[in-house]
Amino acid sequence: MRILVINSSYRKNGNTGRILMLLNENIEKESQAVHFPVAIESIDLAGAGLQYCRGCRVCFDKGETYCPFWSEIAPIKAAMQAADIWILASPVFVDDINGVMKTFFDRMVHINHRPEFAGKYAYLLTTSGTGSNGHAARTMVNTLRTWGVYIVGQRDFVSGALSSPDELKVRYQKPLLAIAEKIINAFKNEKALRPSVIALIFFRVQQILWRRKKENNLDYHYWESKGWLEPGINYYIPHKTGLLSVWTARLAGSIIARFFE
């Protein structure tokens, strides 16, 4: 299993980085305990020099490789494609993800229209000084669900202004080990093949909206080429979620889609 850690914190040895270091240690420990090989790669978003999205829409109209700043995002996207599961980590700024993570999502906006990451896994991690209302995690969850990604879980770590690695280890060793186990088990047990009702609803809403548009553009043709607009298709990938959940999601999604008319 290949894991990609994406950290958006500017503080190279701050709380977010220290929590990730401890999580990586626990993943490697759990990997050895269950004899399930894991390779971990990390990307420092704050050091990637990402330009702000200009809103030019060229990624929608012609394709993402026509973006004037494509060279910045290309290696990150390639690493995401190569990985099986991502760990996305952001410090909480004003009750949301920080600007770097938001810029990253903005620059990957073509995936919201063409969810080529369907079937990938992600664990979402935030750090805050005195606690978070969960809005930062919800921002990431809503984005990744639109991408078709299976959300393994999410956790906010309260860490004060700056906690030492030893302090964080004492406070969070047990939950970090539990997260490591959850990440490995999710992949081993093919949890992505059992999307939640919410994930199925996200697909249904998108499906209805693209069927309705029928525009001669890149996004519509992408959905058409994937076969996702066909009547019998209810998710991006073949899955094992029960029929009751599927029909519940189809009904709920159809109702929600009416609000976009």
Side-chain angles (χ1 to χ4, degrees):
M1 179 175 69
R2 299 183 64 176
I3 296 176
L4 179 65
V5 178
I6 302 176
N7 180 9
S8 67
S9 176
Y10 271 106
R11 301 169 75 182
K12 293 186 179 299
N13 196 31
N15 290 324
T16 308
R18 290 175 178 180
I19 288 288
L20 286 173
M21 178 188 67
L22 292 172
L23 178 56
N24 289 350
E25 290 176 1
N26 278 282
I27 290 173
E28 290 172 351
K29 184 188 300 182
E30 178 65 12
S31 167
Q32 293 171 6
V34 299
H35 307 289
F36 192 78
V38 168
I40 302 175
E41 180 185 353
S42 297
I43 287 180
D44 172 23
L45 279 185
L50 297 180
Q51 299 285 321
Y52 294 128
C53 175
R54 301 300 200 265
C56 66
R57 293 186 56 87
V58 70
C59 63
F60 296 153
D61 299 334
K62 298 179 67 176
E64 65 272 18
T65 58
Y66 289 89
C67 171
F69 308 112
W70 173 243
S71 60
E72 299 168 359
I73 210 74
I76 300 174
K77 186 177 178 183
M80 295 173 75
Q81 287 283 25
D84 299 303
I85 186 166
W86 316 323
I87 299 173
L88 274 70
S90 172
V92 175
F93 286 7
V94 197
D95 286 328
D96 210 334
I97 54 176
N98 72 346
V100 181
M101 185 65 80
K102 181 60 170 66
T103 296
F104 167 65
F105 284 151
D106 289 345
R107 293 291 307 281
M108 297 288 284
V109 69
H110 58 281
I111 305 295
N112 292 57
H113 287 208
R114 304 186 292 273
E116 59 190 88
F117 289 139
K120 297 288 187 184
Y121 297 75
Y123 193 92
L124 311 176
L125 182 157
T126 57
T127 59
S128 56
T130 57
S132 169
N133 64 12
H135 183 71
R138 287 194 294 274
T139 296
M140 292 195 281
V141 166
N142 290 335
T143 299
L144 295 182
R145 279 194 176 133
T146 305
W147 293 2
V149 174
Y150 179 84
I151 310 298
V152 177
Q154 62 192 69
R155 171 77 188 237
D156 179 61
F157 291 87
V158 181
S159 46
L162 184 63
S163 299
S164 71
D166 289 340
E167 289 174 320
L168 293 172
K169 188 170 186 178
V170 169
R171 191 183 313 168
Y172 291 122
Q173 179 62 15
K174 286 186 178 180
L176 285 168
L177 179 57
I179 290 170
E181 293 172 351
K182 189 173 185 179
I183 287 171
I184 291 176
N185 286 333
F187 185 75
K188 285 178 63 178
N189 297 325
E190 299 183 318
K191 290 287 189 179
L193 299 184
R194 295 174 177 82
S196 66
V197 171
I198 294 176
L200 293 171
I201 290 173
F202 266 68
F203 174 85
R204 179 61 172 169
V205 171
Q206 289 179 296
Q207 182 187 57
I208 290 174
L209 295 181
W210 288 118
R211 282 178 180 169
R212 187 183 298 160
K213 288 185 177 181
K214 292 185 179 180
E215 296 176 356
N216 185 26
N217 62 30
L218 191 63
D219 297 333
Y220 177 81
H221 289 305
Y222 184 86
W223 275 73
E224 188 178 44
S225 69
K226 289 290 185 178
W228 293 341
L229 301 179
E230 297 298 320
I233 301 300
N234 50 56
Y235 197 57
Y236 310 101
I237 60 175
H239 65 89
K240 300 177 181 179
T241 299
L243 283 177
L244 178 60
S245 295
V246 168
W247 284 106
T248 299
R250 287 177 68 87
L251 176 60
S254 298
I255 294 171
I256 293 170
R258 292 180 181 178
F259 291 93
F260 292 90
E261 293 179 352

